Amino acid sequence: MQKQRFNFSQARAYSAQYGLYISILWIVSFVCTMNAIQHPLLSIVGQITAFLSLFTAIRLITAYSKNVQPLNIARKLWLSWSTCAFATLMTTFAQYVYLRYIDKGSFLNAIREVFNDPAYKEILEQQMQGIGADKALEILSATTYSQFAMQFLFFNICISFVFTILMAV
């Protein structure tokens, strides 16, 4: 029996497609979380969607390994990482678009309300001893949408590392 070569171009095409599926779930989770202030039940929906994305990703990688071409652990890691990389890029772009054009400042206003609430102000003063809540609010107000997008990108990459390991094993 002849050993079949791994087809990287086919795997890359599948990982882009799988990344689209996972990013849709991540975007739904993000939008639900962002709107949870007005509708608290959406927070639960967002968390369920986030967990569902992990199980969906594991199922997709397993199905690829069974139905398309067999994968060893290294190839599963590669396929998982490329899937998460595509999902990360699409999700970060959607988060930027959401904050810039759809949110209309309600995210920042919610954070400002928390920073100005007397109950939280004391906790913030204790946790940010060198900065203080007023200075932290000033820094937050000066943060641009691009800077938020970069922070979301970093967070999405960190989540992708964890997802990659969980998907490959």
Side-chain angles (χ1 to χ4, degrees):
M1 185 172 195
Q2 191 176 23
K3 190 174 181 181
Q4 186 181 11
R5 284 182 52 96
F6 183 70
N7 189 343
F8 278 102
S9 61
Q10 181 185 30
R12 191 175 2 185
Y14 273 91
S15 69
Q17 182 180 357
Y18 295 165
L20 176 65
Y21 300 151
I22 301 306
S23 71
I24 289 170
L25 291 172
W26 286 357
I27 292 166
V28 168
S29 177
F30 173 75
V31 170
C32 288
T33 303
M34 294 301 287
N35 291 306
I37 293 173
Q38 293 90 5
H39 310 285
L41 190 60
L42 283 178
S43 175
I44 296 169
V45 173
Q47 291 172 0
I48 290 171
T49 307
F51 287 120
L52 180 65
S53 71
L54 176 62
F55 295 114
T56 303
I58 291 170
R59 184 157 159 56
L60 289 171
I61 299 298
T62 304
Y64 181 87
S65 183
K66 285 182 183 176
N67 301 329
V68 180
Q69 54 184 330
L71 300 172
N72 60 21
I73 189 73
R75 300 278 161 76
K76 277 186 179 181
L77 278 169
W78 181 86
L79 186 64
S80 300
W81 174 247
S82 59
T83 298
C84 287
F86 281 114
T88 294
L89 292 175
M90 288 185 272
T91 302
T92 303
F93 177 73
Q95 289 168 331
Y96 173 78
V97 169
Y98 180 85
L99 288 174
R100 180 83 169 113
Y101 300 107
I102 298 170
D103 186 55
K104 298 190 177 29
S106 65
F107 173 66
L108 288 175
N109 289 337
I111 293 175
R112 282 187 193 108
E113 286 177 23
V114 169
F115 274 54
N116 288 326
D117 188 347
Y120 290 107
K121 203 165 197 161
E122 182 179 324
I123 295 170
L124 288 170
E125 291 287 343
Q126 290 173 356
Q127 291 183 355
M128 300 179 188
Q129 292 176 354
I131 298 175
D134 294 330
K135 183 68 174 173
L137 183 59
E138 182 182 319
I139 292 169
L140 180 69
S141 298
T143 306
T144 65
Y145 295 113
S146 299
Q147 290 169 329
F148 274 118
M150 291 305 293
Q151 291 173 351
F152 282 131
L153 176 65
F154 179 73
F155 177 76
N156 293 341
I157 289 171
C158 292
I159 294 294
S160 292
F161 280 126
V162 174
F163 265 48
T164 297
I165 294 168
L166 293 174
M167 288 165 59
V169 290

